[in-house]
Amino acid sequence: MASTAGRRGLRPELLGALAGLLDGPWGAPFTGALFARRVGWREAFFSGLGWLTAGMKGASPLLALWVGQGVLALWRRGGWWRLGAGLAFLLGGLLFRGLWLAPLGVVLAGVLPGGWRYAALALAGVGVYGWTGLLLSLGAWAAETVGLERGERFRGMDVPALVYGGVLLLRNMLLEVVNG
């Protein structure tokens, strides 16, 4: 067996590009690789534009990640912020195809230990993609197993998430031109 010691991990930007090219019912494993990232509202908004141009139902997976991470951050602040977390969860869940499954999966992935985290990410995947979203947890597991290099930031944005949204948007624009 060949040793992997000293080899560099995969670039997360490559998985972001693959997720953007293949997003849709079978793009879930590549999108799952992005679920180890910390995304902000800009990445969620930009990926949402690509999602809308694809004509897909509900909201984008990075928006689910942003809503779920936001709910967890508000909850951890305690006090009245927990009321804000509950409202963000209730309102955010209305955006998704599977209603509250996507943000619930992200929230559970943030609090559950070990392998249960992947089951929670599968729940988030089902909330975004439908049943093929079960593959999202496979992508998250593979990304952590293979080992991704630490992603960089570009003007406040996570580069792999930015690449995902950009490639998804460009792919859909090109398909619109080609299909007329």
Side-chain angles (χ1 to χ4, degrees), residues 38-95:
R38 175 85 180 143
V39 299
W41 69 269
R42 289 176 232 146
E43 294 92 339
F45 176 75
F46 198 58
S47 73
L49 288 177
W51 192 261
L52 290 174
T53 60
M56 292 189 232
K57 297 177 183 174
S60 73
L62 291 187
L63 186 61
L65 186 59
W66 179 67
V67 168
Q69 288 174 343
V71 166
L72 281 173
L74 289 173
W75 187 265
R76 288 178 181 137
R77 289 179 114 177
W80 286 97
W81 290 105
R82 290 189 174 175
L83 178 63
L87 289 173
F89 179 78
L90 289 175
L91 293 175
L94 295 174
L95 299 172

Side-chain angles (χ1 to χ4, degrees), residues 134-169:
L134 291 171
L135 297 171
L136 191 138
S137 61
L138 177 66
W141 172 81
E144 291 175 6
T145 302
V146 170
L148 295 176
E149 287 183 22
R150 186 179 190 116
E152 300 160 9
R153 299 192 69 76
F154 173 74
R155 295 184 188 193
M157 296 179 76
D158 185 63
V159 174
L162 174 65
V163 169
Y164 161 74
V167 168
L168 181 60
L169 184 61

